[in-house]
Every structure is written in C-alpha cells, then in structure tokens.
Amino acid sequence: MTEVLNMQNISKSYYMGEEELEVLRKVNLQVNSGEFLSLLGPSGSGKSTMMNIIGCLDIPSSGKYLLSGNDIEDLDETELAFIRNKEIGFVFQSFQLLPRLSALQNVELPLIYAGLSSTERKERSLKMLDRVGLVDKTKNLPTQLSGGQQQRVAIARALVTEPTILLADEPTGALDQKTGAQVMELFEELNHDGRTIIMITHDIGIARHAKRVVNILDGQLSEQGVQ
Amino acid sequence: MLFESIKMSYENIVRNKLRSFLTMLGIVIGVASIIALITIVQGATNSISDQVTELGANKITVNVMGTPLKQGLNQEDMLNISEEENIKGVSPTISGKTGIIYEGKLMENVTVQGKNEVYFNMDTSLLKTGRSINILDLNSKNQVAIIGSDIIHELYFGVDPIGKDLVINGTSYTVVGTLNASSGFSMGSNNESVIIPYTTAMRSLGVKNISSLDVFLEDTSLADDTVTDLKGVLNPAFNYKENAYTIFNMGDMIESFESMMSMMSLLLAGIAAISLVVGGIGIMNMMLVSITERTMEIGLRKALGATPKRIQLQFVIESIFLSLVGGLIGLVLGGLIAYTAAAFIGIGFSLSIATILLAVGFSGLVGIVFGYMPARKASQLNPIDALRSL
C-alpha cells in the first residue's frame, strides 16, 4: 500500500497579540492510499487547522509534511495552488458552490485551473456528475437543487481532478439525517472503489462510517483503532 | 485560460448591469470629452489651414526694405529670381492708395496695385469678366485696369464696366476686367482694389523700385530650398547688407499655426484626461466592492487550485473589460458630439485613427492601472479566511 500522507511532528501556532496559541502539538499521522479516515474532535480541538494543513491551505509552523511524497515546506503560493488542484479534492460543510454557475460549470471549475480544454472538461465533469447520480441536473443552478444534491455536485467537483485525497469538512453538517446518510453511503462506495478519504467531523455517528477514526483533542491525536 | 477569464469577467459585469454601467460612466464621459475636443479642434484647424492654403501656401513673399544704395528690386533682380529652380513665376506688387473717379463720382483711398500676368495665371479664379493683364500691357505700360467688386458697386452700379474709363490719380485708364468678389480673409481681399500693370503703376505712382515680390513655387515641399536659393540671389543684390529684405514663407506660417493648434488640442485632451482618472478611481472602487462581495468565491477558487496570478489576471481583465467597454461607448458618444458640433459650427469632421487609438489605449491603460491594486489584493487573500467568511 502506498503512503499518501505523512505528518511528522507537525505543530501549528497562532499569535493572538503577544500571546502564542499552540493549536497543533507535534502531530504524527500517516495515511495510506485507499484508507477512509475520520478525524473526530469537538470544536476548538484543532481539527480545522488539521484540515487546512492537510489541504495545503496553510503551512505548519514546524514539522515535516509529505503529501504524495511532496515536501510542502518550501513551496510558494503558486506551487501550493498546483498541489491543491492535483492532490486534494475539497468537500465543505456548506457545499461552497458558486451560485451563478450551473452544476456542470461548478464541477468544471478545478479543471479550468488544471488547464484542460473545454471539451475535455465537459466530458470529465459529465462523467463525474453521472457517478454521483446527477446527470439529469447538469444545467441546474445550485439554488434549484436540494441540499443533498448540492453536496453531490460538490463531491463531483472534488473528484473530477482525480485527486489523491478526498478531504471533507463536516460533509453532512448542513444536511438532514436522511440525506446525510445518503452522502455517507456515497463516501463508502467511493472508498470501496479505492478512493482515499479524510473526513473531519465532530459527530461520532458520522465518524463511524470511516474505517479508521482518529481523535483530536487540544491539538493532539489519538488513534481509536481500525474498525 | 485568457478566454476563460474574459468570459468570467463578461458574466460578472452583465450580472451587475446597473452598477457596471454607473462605474463605466466615468470612463464614458472622459473618453467622450477627449474624442470630442480633439476632433473639434482638429476640424477647426483643418478648416482654417485650408483657408490659409487657399491664400497661397505655394507662395513665398519677399519684402524689401532696401539699403541706402539700393532701395528695392529692379527688373534684373526679378529675372534672376525667376530663373531659379522650383519657381513657377514671380509677381511683383506695387501698392499705393489714391482717389479714383468715374463720371464725376469720386472714391477716395482706393488701393491701387500693380501686378503682372503671373498674378492672374497662378489663380485663374481671380478674374470674373473681361481679360487680365498681358505682356503687352506690361511692356507698353498700357493704362488698363481690372477692378474689384466694391468698386463696381460704388462707381459702375447698373452698368457693365468693361470698356469704360476710370481716372486713377489724375490719369485716364480703360477698365478691361473685373475681379470675383472674394470672401474670407480681409488680408487677401481684392474687393476694394484696382489692379493695373505694375510697370504702369511704377510710373503712375512714381515708384522706382519693387518692394514686394510674390514667388510662386512648383513644389511646396521644397520651399525651404527655394528660400535658400532666393537668399543666394538677394544677398549679392543687396551687397550682403543685413535687414535689406525679409522672406515670408506661407507654408511656414501654416506649419506653425498647425503646431500651435495641435498643442492646444493636446492641452484640452490633457484636461479631459483628468476625468478619465476620476473614472478610473470609480472602477477601482467597484473592483474593491466586488472583491469584498466575492471573498468566498475567491477563497474557493484558490482552494480548487487557482494560483494568485490567475486570480489577479481575472480581476485585472474584469477592470480592463469595464474600462474598454466604457471607452468604446465614449468613443461613439464623443464622435457623435464632435459630428454635431462640426455641423453646427460649420467645420469639417474627421475622426482620425490616431484619436481612436488614443482613446481606446487610454481607457485600457486606466483599466490596468486602476484594476491592478484591487486585483493584487484579491490574489493575496488567504483562502482560509476567505472560505471562513461565509
């Protein structure tokens, strides 16, 4: 099994005025390809910071982070953007779809930044919308879709670049229980197809869908064990 | 990639129609006033210099003050000058003021000009009826006169003046021709003049030397060379004394007039350009508002892999797009204003390519300059903060 993510002694501090706030304390995490991992913790535990660092939106204060073998320590903004585009598929709690773009156009967005031609973008996006079961909604605007459908569009957008890791932040947080469960079902299916998923949540019920649960509390990780 | 950015800019501008329009208005007004001012001034310049050219851009005038020994030009000097290159002909002017009488009616203070055949040959529109001065008149110092329209009106009202007599300075002349009434510049008007052969005029007015000579050119563009040639003839004639004569080149005057007018149009355009700057600030303001509104979008795009450069390009293109569209509307509007004004004042209308390029280039530049700062700000947004702002 290939290692896709390796964090060694990752720390992250913020400065609140004079005061130093240590959000992550010497975190070690290793994720192999094909894993479905959930990062479980209450708010303020540092899980958002973990997500930002895993997603290369932020860089650690100290420690070593290898993503698909790339050391992200010395990368500049532009290089980080390329890494995000190629390696990470983001799924957010509130979907973050652009309201004026159709479902298809939303899914196409990351492919624009990957530099694909419009025909290739359309082809891949349609395929991905089909995969999440929304092939008949391609022209709909986000407002014309239900919450569950919107999250499916967001998942299609996250997966359309074939990223190394699907990184989901409270993916069911804005959904009712039933649609939330459907989204989790989709995650399980995707994982079954070999997709590596890291899901950040505070909900133990949701976290249980993952094969591996890692607790985060006060900036430190503790493994719950593989289910 | 560029196409995608342009498409996104277009969509965003169309989405906020009213706001985009109001933002563009500053640029529209700026460009419209630049175009209108330059075009109107240009039209006026062209009209005036056309009129001046009619007076004789193909002409160099030599005025002679003379020296104590030689007070003016003589026949030999004239001949020497007319033998130089690029000269179509020379026409002397002997000028004086005197009273004229026809059938007991007196007209005082009339300009009597002595000319030769060249004067009429160079501008065939001068003569209205009858004949002009010929070589025979000059050689024989014939007492013939060609009269201006005001003289006809005053002395020959209701009669055909051709063949009638006219007493000039006590001597009797025969009217052989009439001049067309000239409009336009008073300095060129012959309406109140009587023209007689210059040889006759020299005798009649008691003038021994020619003090003014019009030199007509074959090729106006060689005027400067001809001026040099003329000096080559005139300097020895006046024994190299300074200030013996002046050479007045009409082409030079037109040139300096035109450069003055183009300075003026630049000045006016410069003032109008200030409104473009104000328009640019409007665009910058709108871009900043737009970026604040779209913080989440920018954050998301960054998370999905948009590089800072890409975000910056997007917003700069949006700003250029706004100002260019504003510039084009301003171009049309300014053209219309200039066209209407030109028709109203009665001057020519011509919108030059240079003016169009200036306006379009300037508005594009405004877009770049005033879009740069907001775009840079957008590109530096931290995606985490941007995503959290929702």
Side-chain angles (χ1 to χ4, degrees):
Chain A
M1 235 186 269
T2 347
E3 179 188 84
V4 291
L5 180 149
N6 191 341
M7 286 183 158
Q8 296 161 19
N9 290 324
I10 293 287
S11 294
K12 180 73 188 177
S13 312
Y14 294 104
Y15 286 89
M16 308 279 275
E18 295 276 293
E19 215 172 317
E20 189 182 346
L21 197 69
E22 198 172 28
V23 186
L24 293 179
R25 299 176 196 180
K26 296 199 184 252
V27 166
N28 289 291
L29 183 66
Q30 201 241 344
V31 179
N32 289 326
S33 130
E35 276 198 83
F36 185 178
L37 175 144
S38 90
L39 212 56
L40 177 68
S43 65
S45 59
K47 64 183 191 318
S48 294
T49 308
M50 267 301 273
M51 141 126 186
N52 290 339
I53 289 175
I54 292 172
C56 298
L57 293 168
D58 206 350
I59 45 170
S61 309
S62 68
K64 198 172 180 67
Y65 174 28
L66 296 171
L67 178 63
S68 290
N70 300 303
D71 190 342
I72 67 140
E73 194 183 345
D74 300 320
L75 302 185
D76 64 19
E77 276 267 0
T78 305
E79 289 163 322
L80 284 175
F82 285 128
I83 293 271
R84 285 197 292 267
N85 185 255
K86 194 163 153 266
E87 307 287 347
I88 306 284
F90 286 97
V91 176
F92 302 97
Q93 179 173 358
S94 44
F95 327 134
Q96 311 283 37
L97 299 176
L98 295 187
R100 281 130 193 156
L101 301 185
S102 69
L104 182 66
Q105 287 173 314
N106 264 293
V107 176
E108 278 187 38
L109 272 179
L111 296 180
I112 292 178
Y113 299 120
L116 266 61
S117 74
S118 69
T119 42
E120 207 173 337
R121 289 202 308 256
K122 199 169 171 191
E123 195 187 338
R124 283 176 67 168
S125 305
L126 282 172
K127 218 165 95 188
M128 205 45 79
L129 278 167
D130 190 27
R131 174 67 194 86
V132 299
L134 287 173
V135 79
D136 54 335
K137 304 277 186 200
T138 55
K139 290 202 168 72
N140 290 44
L141 294 176
T143 47
Q144 297 164 326
L145 297 170
S146 72
Q149 287 170 333
Q150 287 188 49
Q151 194 59 301
R152 281 162 187 272
V153 173
I155 292 166
R157 180 182 64 191
L159 293 176
V160 78
T161 53
E162 302 287 346
T164 315
I165 295 171
L166 180 67
L167 184 60
D169 180 18
E170 303 278 8
T172 59
L175 302 174
D176 61 46
Q177 204 143 23
K178 198 175 149 228
T179 39
Q182 284 168 356
V183 166
M184 289 325 297
E185 229 167 85
L186 179 60
F187 271 40
E188 280 169 9
E189 275 174 44
L190 290 167
N191 178 241
H192 188 259
D193 296 346
R195 187 71 61 192
T196 312
I197 302 175
I198 297 175
M199 179 171 71
I200 285 128
T201 183
H202 71 283
D203 185 339
I204 190 153
I206 292 296
R208 280 211 186 103
H209 288 271
K211 290 178 189 161
R212 178 183 166 199
V213 178
V214 174
N215 284 314
I216 180 165
L217 196 66
D218 289 335
Q220 286 180 311
L221 300 188
S222 60
E223 201 90 16
Q224 244 186 24
V226 182
Q227 289 184 339
Chain B
M1 178 167 126
L2 198 63
F3 174 73
E4 290 298 330
S5 297
I6 291 171
K7 202 175 129 212
M8 280 191 245
S9 307
Y10 170 75
E11 282 163 1
N12 196 55
I13 286 162
V14 170
R15 197 178 305 136
N16 296 306
K17 279 193 197 70
L18 180 65
R19 190 164 77 185
S20 302
F21 171 73
L22 288 175
T23 307
M24 268 188 250
L25 204 56
I27 300 292
V28 171
I29 292 170
V31 170
S33 43
I34 290 181
I35 294 282
L37 284 170
I38 290 183
T39 307
I40 290 169
V41 171
Q42 201 74 55
T45 309
N46 290 346
S47 299
I48 295 170
S49 58
D50 279 355
Q51 286 179 39
V52 175
T53 307
E54 246 171 65
L55 282 180
N58 62 338
K59 190 167 84 174
I60 293 174
T61 304
V62 180
N63 285 304
V64 179
M65 283 74 78
T67 62
L69 286 175
K70 181 179 168 65
Q71 283 165 354
L73 299 170
N74 55 33
Q75 301 280 357
E76 195 193 329
D77 296 325
M78 260 176 67
L79 194 70
N80 286 340
I81 287 170
S82 64
E83 278 169 357
E84 288 297 327
E85 272 176 47
N86 190 33
I87 288 172
K88 236 195 277 184
V90 295
S91 164
T93 303
I94 308 291
S95 186
K97 291 218 178 219
T98 180
I100 57 173
I101 304 166
Y102 171 67
E103 288 192 341
K105 277 180 283 184
L106 171 71
M107 223 179 138
E108 275 184 293
N109 246 349
V110 174
T111 305
V112 176
Q113 297 188 71
K115 299 278 191 186
N116 66 0
E117 82 288 358
V118 174
Y119 178 73
F120 288 95
N121 291 345
M122 288 301 138
D123 187 354
T124 48
S125 69
L126 283 171
L127 196 68
K128 188 182 180 191
T129 59
R131 67 169 179 89
S132 61
I133 293 165
N134 58 35
I135 308 269
L136 205 65
D137 295 326
L138 294 163
N139 289 344
S140 329
K141 298 176 183 159
N142 282 346
Q143 292 178 335
V144 292
I146 294 143
I147 57 176
S149 56
D150 287 359
I151 315 254
I152 300 170
H153 192 78
E154 287 271 330
L155 299 184
Y156 298 92
F157 192 75
V159 288
D160 181 7
I162 307 283
K164 303 288 186 300
D165 70 302
L166 178 66
V167 177
I168 303 170
N169 206 18
T171 319
S172 180
Y173 287 71
T174 308
V175 177
V176 293
T178 61
L179 296 170
N180 272 313
S182 63
S183 58
F185 288 87
S186 55
M187 66 184 267
S189 167
N190 276 328
N191 294 351
E192 276 190 62
S193 293
V194 175
I195 295 177
I196 59 177
Y198 80 93
T199 47
T200 318
M202 284 169 87
R203 189 184 61 192
S204 159
L205 298 171
V207 179
K208 291 196 179 66
N209 294 297
I210 298 158
S211 59
S212 176
L213 189 66
D214 289 338
V215 179
F216 293 93
L217 307 178
E218 298 276 4
D219 182 353
T220 319
S221 63
L222 298 174
D224 288 345
D225 295 340
T226 308
V227 167
T228 313
D229 289 345
L230 288 181
K231 284 178 179 167
V233 175
L234 292 167
N235 283 340
F238 290 102
N239 211 9
Y240 300 96
K241 290 268 191 233
E242 278 178 36
N243 300 327
Y245 63 91
T246 58
I247 293 178
F248 178 78
N249 183 357
M250 203 64 154
D252 276 355
M253 200 187 101
I254 293 170
E255 235 170 68
S256 60
F257 167 78
E258 280 176 351
S259 81
M260 195 183 80
M261 287 303 268
S262 72
M263 284 267 289
M264 185 164 140
S265 77
L266 269 183
L267 186 76
L268 285 172
I271 294 168
I274 293 171
S275 63
L276 260 188
V277 172
V278 176
I281 293 170
I283 286 193
M284 179 148 75
N285 191 30
M286 152 133 180
M287 295 307 296
L288 287 171
V289 169
S290 165
I291 285 160
T292 309
E293 278 178 356
R294 286 150 72 191
T295 303
M296 181 285 256
E297 179 186 332
I298 295 164
L300 176 78
R301 286 179 186 275
K302 284 192 133 186
L304 296 183
T307 59
K309 232 182 210 152
R310 188 69 204 256
I311 299 281
Q312 189 170 359
L313 181 74
Q314 161 87 50
F315 282 96
V316 167
I317 284 178
E318 208 166 303
S319 160
I320 293 174
F321 200 98
L322 268 177
S323 55
L324 267 189
V325 172
L328 290 177
I329 297 174
L331 178 66
V332 173
L333 195 68
L336 282 176
I337 292 171
Y339 182 79
T340 316
F344 195 70
I345 310 171
I347 55 173
F349 168 81
S350 74
L351 193 52
S352 69
I353 300 288
T355 313
I356 293 171
L357 289 182
L358 182 80
V360 173
F362 220 130
S363 53
L365 192 71
V366 164
I368 295 171
V369 169
F370 289 95
Y372 181 80
M373 194 273 268
R376 196 169 164 72
K377 201 183 152 197
S379 77
Q380 286 170 342
L381 272 180
N382 182 345
I384 301 168
D385 298 336
L387 282 168
R388 201 186 292 141
S389 79
L390 191 82

